[in-house]
Amino acid sequence: MSKRQNRSCSAMGVLVAMAAVLAGGAQASPEENPKVDWQGDARWSKYNFTDLVDPYEEFDIWTELKAAYFLDEGRSAFGPYVSVLGVWSTAADDKPWPGAFDWQRNAEARLGLQWYPLAGQGEWLQALRLYGYYAARAYASDTLDLQTDDWRGGVDYYHDNLPRDGEPIVVLAYANCAYRKTNFSLDNYDAVLAEFNLKVGPRVGNLPVLTRSQLVPYVLLEGAYAPKYDERWWENYVRTGVGLRFYFDPTRRGKDFWSGFVQRFNIYAEYVRNVSWLGDDPADLGSKVEDYDFRCGLSFATGGFFNER
C-alpha cells in the first residue's frame, strides 16, 4: 500500500470511529440528537454512458450511513455530521481490462458542517442545505493513481412529497452545486460541479396486492455541468427519460428511522437518453458513448436527508 493510501486509511479510520460514536448515541425518534440516517442504491445498467466498454451490463451499488448532531436545542438544523460511504461495482472484475473500473470499489468517510437556513419555513423550503466537509477515501485496489482526499463546500437540495398521500403528483427532486478541491481525480481540480435529478409523475394506489403499495410512473430530467472542464464529457450533459417505481408503503405514518426507510424503499426501471453534451462531444475526442441507457434496481433513503421534521 502506498504512503498516500496509508494516510487516507488513517484519516478514514478516525472519521469512521467518530461516526460510530455519534451513531451509538442515536435513537429511533426524529427528535433525538444525534440523528442517524441511511440511503443507498443498487442498479444494473445496460450501457451506463461509458466509453470503456460496450455494452456495460454490470451492477453498481452505493450506500451511505450518516450521523448528524444539531447544536441548537430547537434543532433549527445547524451542526456537525459524519458519514461513511461504500461503493462497489461488478464492472471492476475483468473488463475491458483488469483494473479498468477499480475506482468504482472504494470506501469513503466524511466529516462536515451543515446548515438548513430555511428550516421550519415549509415542506418545500426546509430541505435546502448549505454544507462543507472533508472526505478521505480508500480504494480496494492499491494500483490506482487517484486522489484519496477532497474538500467540498456548497449547497444541495433533497425533497419529495412521496409520504403525502393527498398529493396526486409525486415530485422527487435533487440538486447539488459545490466546489471540489480534487474531486478524487485531479490534484488541482479546483472547480465547481453542479448536478441535478428531477422526477415527476402520478401516484397509482389501490393495487390488488400489497394494498398500501403504490406505483409511480414518471418522466425524468437529469444533468451535470462543470464549466471549467469541457473535455470531461461525463461531467457535462443533460439527459431525459421515463421510469417506473414501485413503493411498498410510501405513506406509512411516522418519521422515525424505520418508518423513513419503509416509506422510500422502492424498486425501479428507467430508460434514459442523452439530450445534449454541455461541453465537448465525446465523439470529437475519439470516444464512443451510447446515447441511451436502460437501468433497473432498488433504492432507499430515510427522512433526515430531506430534513423532515
Side-chain angles (χ1 to χ4, degrees):
M1 182 176 292
S2 67
K3 290 182 179 179
R4 177 187 290 178
Q5 284 199 311
N6 277 326
R7 289 195 299 269
S8 175
C9 288
S10 298
M12 192 171 69
V14 172
L15 297 184
V16 170
M18 294 176 67
V21 171
L22 287 177
Q27 305 296 323
S29 169
E31 288 76 28
E32 293 294 335
N33 207 7
K35 188 175 189 322
V36 173
D37 285 285
W38 187 27
Q39 65 176 342
D41 183 278
R43 69 171 55 171
W44 178 90
S45 300
K46 177 66 175 177
Y47 294 109
N48 203 28
F49 299 105
T50 179
D51 63 336
L52 294 181
V53 63
D54 185 5
Y56 183 74
E57 296 181 343
E58 299 286 355
F59 289 92
D60 296 292
I61 303 166
W62 68 267
T63 187
E64 177 183 10
L65 182 66
K66 176 183 177 183
Y69 186 87
F70 295 95
L71 297 177
D72 55 318
E73 185 175 344
R75 290 194 62 190
S76 64
F78 173 78
Y81 70 94
V82 177
S83 68
V84 181
L85 297 86
V87 177
W88 192 262
S89 174
T90 60
D93 287 335
D94 55 9
K95 58 181 192 180
W97 60 81
F101 288 97
D102 279 358
W103 58 274
Q104 293 187 159
R105 290 181 174 180
N106 65 76
E108 180 180 329
R110 300 172 177 175
L111 174 62
L113 288 173
Q114 62 181 2
W115 177 39
Y116 292 88
L118 301 178
Q121 300 302 309
E123 175 191 354
W124 287 92
L125 298 177
Q126 67 182 14
L128 183 72
R129 181 181 74 136
L130 303 178
Y131 69 91
Y133 66 80
Y134 169 78
R137 180 180 291 184
Y139 297 93
S141 171
D142 60 3
T143 62
L144 299 175
D145 185 23
L146 294 174
Q147 301 301 310
T148 56
D149 65 351
D150 196 11
W151 291 92
R152 297 185 184 182
V155 57
D156 68 9
Y157 181 84
Y158 283 84
H159 181 73
D160 69 43
N161 60 344
L162 188 68
R164 300 175 67 88
D165 196 31
E167 298 183 4
I169 302 299
V170 173
V171 178
L172 312 171
Y174 163 75
N176 181 22
C177 183
Y179 163 82
R180 306 184 181 204
K181 176 64 177 175
T182 70
N183 203 24
F184 292 109
S185 57
L186 303 174
D187 182 52
N188 60 344
Y189 184 85
D190 289 324
V192 172
L193 175 63
E195 304 169 297
F196 72 91
N197 185 290
L198 177 66
K199 304 178 182 73
V200 180
R203 68 174 79 230
V204 181
N206 299 317
L207 301 179
V209 294
L210 298 173
T211 55
R212 295 185 60 84
S213 63
Q214 293 182 359
L215 283 174
V216 180
Y218 55 88
V219 295
L220 69 88
L221 183 69
E222 65 180 25
Y225 183 46
K228 184 179 177 180
Y229 292 103
D230 285 349
E231 73 280 8
R232 296 169 72 94
W233 48 265
W234 56 93
E235 294 177 356
N236 291 278
Y237 61 84
V238 175
R239 296 169 184 155
T240 188
V242 295
L244 180 67
R245 292 186 179 245
F246 175 83
Y247 293 88
F248 290 86
D249 192 359
T251 57
R252 178 187 176 97
R253 294 184 179 274
K255 295 184 178 180
D256 58 277
F257 182 92
W258 176 243
S259 294
F261 177 85
V262 172
Q263 285 170 354
R264 293 185 172 89
F265 184 87
N266 69 92
I267 56 178
Y268 66 89
E270 295 177 340
Y271 172 81
V272 183
R273 177 170 287 274
N274 199 78
V275 175
S276 176
W277 300 108
L278 300 181
D280 294 336
D281 190 316
D284 296 336
L285 302 175
S287 298
K288 181 181 182 298
V289 180
E290 294 291 342
D291 61 2
Y292 72 96
D293 189 26
F294 172 77
R295 54 205 188 196
C296 57
L298 62 87
S299 68
F300 61 90
T302 57
F305 290 103
F306 306 85
N307 194 28
E308 288 188 341
R309 297 171 178 277

